[in-house]
C-alpha cells in the first residue's frame, strides 16, 4: 500500500512535520510512505489547469497513492490553508476527483491545550464533501506537543499511542481499499 503523508504546516521546525516523521518511521515494513510536498503549490486557479507544473505534480502524487495521512496544525479554529489548497487541486482534476473513495486519517498537534482539535474536525468535514473516507478512531490530537519530547526524542507514551493509531489506520485503509 502506498500512503501519502501531507503536512499542512510549512514552517521549517513544524511540530506537525516532526510528528509526521515519527509516523513515517512507524510505517516502515507496513506500507510504503512518502511525503507529498505541498509547500510550492500556488493557490488553486482554474485558469491554470493544464498549465501549472505544480498542479500536475500534485495530482500525479495523489493519483499514485492508495491512502493519505494528513498532519495539520490549527489556524483560527480551522486547518492549514496549504491542505485546503491541495484538496481543492486534487478534487478539481479535469479527469475527476482524485480523492474519491480513498482512506485517510488526520493527526493534529499544537502547542496549545486542545491539540488542534478544531482544525482536525474542520478537515474531516471537508473530507465528507470530497468523498475521502476518514478513520474515525482513534482520534489523534497532540496537545502541548512541545512537552512530548525529551532531549529531542518523542516520549515513549506518545510513541506508543502513535503506533496504535498507525496500526488502526493500516487496518482502516486495507478495509476501505478491499471494498472498492
Amino acid at each position: 500500500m502506498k500512503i501519502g503523508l501531507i503536512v499542512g504546516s510549512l514552517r521549517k521546525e513544524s511540530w506537525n512535520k516532526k510528528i509526521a516523521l515519527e509516523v513515517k518511521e512507524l510505517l516502515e515494513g507496513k506500507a510504503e510512505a512518502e511525503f507529498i510536498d505541498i509547500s510550492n503549490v500556488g493557490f488553486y486557479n482554474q485558469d491554470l489547469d493544464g498549465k501549472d507544473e505544480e498542479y500536475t505534480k500534485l495530482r500525479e502524487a495523489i493519483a499514485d497513492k492508495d491512502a493519505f495521512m494528513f498532519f495539520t496544525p490549527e489556524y483560527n479554529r480551522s486547518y492549514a490553508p496549504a491542505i485546503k489548497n491541495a484538496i481543492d487541486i486534487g478534487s478539481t482534476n479535469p479527469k475527476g476527483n482524485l480523492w474519491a473513495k480513498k482512506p485517510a486519517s488526520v493527526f493534529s498537534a499544537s502547542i496549545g491545550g486542545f491539540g488542534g482539535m478544531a482544525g482536525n474536525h474542520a478537515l474531516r468535514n471537508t473530507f465528507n464533501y470530497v468523498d475521502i473516507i476518514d478513520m474515525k478512531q482513534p482520534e489523534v490530537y497532540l496537545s502541548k506537543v512541545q512537552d512530548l519530547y525529551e532531549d529531542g526524542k518523542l516520549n515513549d507514551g506518545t510513541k506508543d499511542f502513535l503506533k496504535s493509531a498507525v496500526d488502526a489506520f493500516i487496518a482502516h485503509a486495507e478495509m476501505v481499499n478491499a471494498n472498492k
Side-chain angles (χ1 to χ4, degrees), residues 11-12 26 32 89 109 132 136 174:
R11 193 170 61 84
K12 185 178 178 181
L26 293 169
E32 182 183 325
I89 291 168
I132 292 173
K136 307 294 186 222
E174 287 173 345

Side-chain angles (χ1 to χ4, degrees), residues 21-89:
L21 287 166
E22 297 281 349
V23 166
K24 187 174 191 308
E25 281 185 31
L26 293 169
L27 285 165
E28 287 179 14
K30 299 176 184 183
E32 182 183 325
E34 177 182 299
F35 281 96
I36 297 176
D37 183 10
I38 60 174
S39 64
N40 294 316
V41 181
F43 289 120
Y44 178 65
N45 176 343
Q46 189 177 16
D47 293 340
L48 300 178
D49 276 337
K51 300 173 189 162
D52 187 288
E53 184 178 323
E54 292 299 322
Y55 290 10
T56 301
K57 283 198 277 187
L58 176 59
R59 286 172 171 155
E60 287 171 354
I62 295 167
D64 182 54
K65 303 301 178 281
D66 303 305
F68 302 92
M69 298 179 90
F70 291 83
F71 301 84
T72 188
E74 182 176 310
Y75 294 154
N76 299 317
R77 298 288 187 255
S78 194
Y79 58 97
I83 290 177
K84 173 70 165 91
N85 192 49
I87 289 174
D88 290 347
I89 291 168

Side-chain angles (χ1 to χ4, degrees), residues 65-155:
K65 303 301 178 281
D66 303 305
F68 302 92
M69 298 179 90
F70 291 83
F71 301 84
T72 188
E74 182 176 310
Y75 294 154
N76 299 317
R77 298 288 187 255
S78 194
Y79 58 97
I83 290 177
K84 173 70 165 91
N85 192 49
I87 289 174
D88 290 347
I89 291 168
S91 68
T92 57
N93 181 48
K95 295 179 183 174
N97 176 8
L98 298 172
W99 302 108
K101 305 291 183 217
K102 291 192 177 181
S105 63
V106 181
F107 289 47
S108 57
S110 81
I111 59 172
F114 294 107
M117 184 171 55
N120 187 305
H121 282 263
L123 179 51
R124 289 169 183 251
N125 190 48
T126 300
F127 286 177
N128 291 330
Y129 186 77
V130 296
D131 205 16
I132 292 173
I133 303 170
D134 68 318
M135 177 177 77
K136 307 294 186 222
Q137 294 292 325
E139 295 176 312
V140 181
Y141 318 114
L142 301 173
S143 61
K144 299 183 182 176
V145 66
Q146 71 279 9
D147 297 338
L148 302 178
Y149 286 82
E150 298 164 3
D151 298 321
K153 296 190 183 226
L154 192 62
N155 69 44

Side-chain angles (χ1 to χ4, degrees), residues 153-174:
K153 296 190 183 226
L154 192 62
N155 69 44
D156 290 341
T158 304
K159 199 156 198 159
D160 289 345
F161 172 65
L162 287 177
K163 183 184 179 316
S164 69
V166 165
D167 290 345
F169 179 68
I170 293 291
H172 168 72
E174 287 173 345

